[in-house]
């Protein structure tokens, strides 16, 4: 009997074991002279064969960075050296289980999901624990960031930084005991304030959104219940008959000032943006009618037709009226997409454009292109990576000094499966369907991963 290799440990999902530093990378096309900074992308990369069943979310965090300066580019990749990573490196083997098969040692903070720049530091994020500060451009792990010892919760993988005030908003969720959510605001100078937010039950809450004056939480029906675990069932389950709830509170508010709005049952991994329009709060995100991401949703694989297509994310808009309590929602486009991004210089304000990865019609989660949404004209432009080529999240990089919302570039790693080569592709957002303006050739394969960031460097 032949063992079946986990697909998240095969092909371009498989980890790379070598940390390298390479200067003077080959470039097809030409880099803009004003582009000076570093593109960094996070993702799972287990350093040892995992214990038990491996879920893609379990791997040790590895950063892949491309430093661009004066028309030249260099590459380096580095593991994020968390406490659990160091313990396993000393042991020479895996010590911790994962999402699908926890071990007695519990979970390790893998810091493998996303990145945020705040208070002049780059933070690597994993929603089950504290962030890790990363040095730029070396990608060396500085250590866990606890905001001068004031951190009182895990930190979401997707904090929001207000481009005007410099404040960073984040939350941490608990699955088994209240308060199920703790909400924090960090000042531009790094001063932290945290308040509890009440939920009826623990839920997997991956993302949220901000506007100029409000914060929006999503209490969605992917719930965690210990009683299911005690019955021998999965603790996580998508409860189809439970409505989705959206909590809106003033940025510096608390559990007394939050208002909850109900909408149709759904799941959202990632928000694009939110903004205020008169008495309405508008939220735009990638919405699925349900999710089986943790392998726990009945109906998706068990012959229940309600599950067919339910995992397909589509760009969606909700409008919550703060005066009447009315909720309106609308699907904006029928192209499956994920990892939405916007020009973060306008985060929390009304934006005309949004960007997302174009979901490929493949069994594994891959993107075969990038999408640019014109939310005003309700039109979409597509950039295709080409046959057998798959990429990741398109990170928006604004042109320095520009005041035009869509004046910039999308950056993403793209892998050519036939050639088994990787490159950093740079696409002009004002010429989406054209060839990339530059393709930087990587010295080694870059596995598919999660979220990235651009850090401007002088």
């Amino acid at each position: 009997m032949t063992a079946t290799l986990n697909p998240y440990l095969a092909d371009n999902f498989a980890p790379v074991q070598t940390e390298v530093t390479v200067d003077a990378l080959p470039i097809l096309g030409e880099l803009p002279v004003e582009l000076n900074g570093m593109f960094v992308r996070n993702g799972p990369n287990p350093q040892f064969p995992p214990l038990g069943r491996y879920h893609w979310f379990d791997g040790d965090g590895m950063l892949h960075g491309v430093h661009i300066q004066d028309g030249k580019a260099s590459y380096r990749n580095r593991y994020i050296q968390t406490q659990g990573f160091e313990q396993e490196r000393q042991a020479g083997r895996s010590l911790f289980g994962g999402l699908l098969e926890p071990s007695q040692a519990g979970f390790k903070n893998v810091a493998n999901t996303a990145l945020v720049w705040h208070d002049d530091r780059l933070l690597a994020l994993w929603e089950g624990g504290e962030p890790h500060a990363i040095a730029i451009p070396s990608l060396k792990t500085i250590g866990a960031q606890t905001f001068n010892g004031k951190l009182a919760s895990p930190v979401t993988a997707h904090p929001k930084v207000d481009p005007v005030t410099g404040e960073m908003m984040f939350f941490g969720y608990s699955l088994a005991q209240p308060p199920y959510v703790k909400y924090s605001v960090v000042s531009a100078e790094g001063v932290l304030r945290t308040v509890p937010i009440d939920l009826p039950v623990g839920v997997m809450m991956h993302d949220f959104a901000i506007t100029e004056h409000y914060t929006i939480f999503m209490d969605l029906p992917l719930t965690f219940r210990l009683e299911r675990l005690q019955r021998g069932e999965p603790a996580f389950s998508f409860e189809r008959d439970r409505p989705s709830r959206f909590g809106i509170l003033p940025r510096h508010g608390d559990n007394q000032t939050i208002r909850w709005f109900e909408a149709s049952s759904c799941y959202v991994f990632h928000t694009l943006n939110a903004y205020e329009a008169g008495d309405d709060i508008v939220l735009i995100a990638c919405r699925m009618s349900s999710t089986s991401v943790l392998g726990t949703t009945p109906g998706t694989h068990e012959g229940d037709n309600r599950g067919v297509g339910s995992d397909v994310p589509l760009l969606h808009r909700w409008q919550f009226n703060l005066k009447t309590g009315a909720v309106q929602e609308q699907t904006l486009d029928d192209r499956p997409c994920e990892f939405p991004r916007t020009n973060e210089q306008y985060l929390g304000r009304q934006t005309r454009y949004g960007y997302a990865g174009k979901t490929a019609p493949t069994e594994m989660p891959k993107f075969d292109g990038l999408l640019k949404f014109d939310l005003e004209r309700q039109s979409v432009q597509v950039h295709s990576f080409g046959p057998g080529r798959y990429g990741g999240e398109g990170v928006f990089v604004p042109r320095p000094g520009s005041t035009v919302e869509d004046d910039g570039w999308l950056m993403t790693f793209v892998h050519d499966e036939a050639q088994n080569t990787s490159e950093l592709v740079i696409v002009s957002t004002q010429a989406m369907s054209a060839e990339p303006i530059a393709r930087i050739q990587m010295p080694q394969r870059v596995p598919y991963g999660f979220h990235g960031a651009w850090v401007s460097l002088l």
Side-chain angles (χ1 to χ4, degrees), residues 214-435:
Y214 294 92
T215 296
I216 306 164
F217 290 107
M218 299 183 292
D219 175 15
L220 306 177
L222 181 56
T223 64
F224 179 93
R225 296 186 188 272
L226 285 173
E227 55 265 36
R228 280 196 292 259
L229 201 60
Q230 290 160 358
R231 295 195 299 264
E233 301 169 3
F236 276 106
S237 183
F238 187 85
E239 300 183 13
R240 300 178 183 277
D241 298 328
R242 192 171 178 262
S244 296
R245 299 198 316 147
F246 296 81
I248 301 176
L249 76 160
R251 177 175 297 180
H252 297 283
D254 55 26
N255 199 55
Q256 268 55 59
T257 52
I258 194 168
R259 287 184 59 190
W260 290 98
F261 297 77
E262 286 195 1
S264 58
S265 180
C266 69
Y267 196 73
V268 172
F269 271 107
H270 300 110
T271 64
L272 172 69
N273 197 15
Y275 58 89
E276 299 158 31
D279 295 326
D280 285 341
I281 301 292
V282 179
L283 170 67
I284 300 175
C286 291
R287 177 194 185 275
M288 300 179 285
S289 57
S290 70
T291 180
S292 59
V293 67
L294 299 177
T296 58
T297 302
T300 309
H301 304 294
E302 298 175 8
D304 181 343
N305 289 331
R306 291 181 303 170
V308 175
S310 62
D311 269 291
V312 177
L314 302 174
L315 199 67
H316 199 80
R317 179 174 61 213
W318 294 260
Q319 289 179 240
F320 308 99
N321 190 285
L322 295 177
K323 277 197 171 176
T324 67
V327 179
Q328 299 177 42
E329 52 180 312
Q330 175 189 3
T331 299
L332 299 178
D333 193 74
D334 61 1
R335 294 170 181 83
C337 64
E338 251 296 355
F339 286 13
R341 296 293 294 249
T342 191
N343 182 341
E344 292 182 356
Q345 294 179 122
Y346 301 91
L347 189 71
R349 283 77 181 166
Q350 184 166 1
T351 45
R352 176 174 174 177
Y353 301 103
Y355 311 91
K358 179 176 173 288
T359 305
T362 53
E363 196 169 316
M364 298 294 285
K366 299 178 186 178
F367 297 130
D368 58 12
L370 296 168
L371 300 173
K372 176 185 179 181
F373 295 96
D374 185 329
L375 301 170
E376 188 177 290
R377 293 188 176 177
Q378 297 185 326
S379 63
V380 182
Q381 295 178 47
V382 181
H383 177 88
S384 176
F385 296 138
R389 291 165 54 86
Y390 300 97
E393 174 186 62
V395 175
F396 183 87
V397 179
R399 186 186 301 275
S402 177
T403 57
V404 178
E405 185 196 326
D406 69 336
D407 187 10
W409 306 274
L410 293 180
M411 293 189 186
T412 187
F413 288 117
V414 171
H415 182 72
D416 187 311
E417 298 202 337
Q419 304 294 324
N420 197 27
T421 56
S422 300
E423 57 193 25
L424 179 65
V425 169
I426 303 175
V427 177
S428 168
T429 47
Q430 295 186 332
M432 283 292 292
S433 57
E435 290 292 310

Side-chain angles (χ1 to χ4, degrees), residues 40-52:
V40 188
R41 201 220 62 203
N42 206 344
N45 198 94
Q47 67 169 328
F48 296 112
L51 297 178

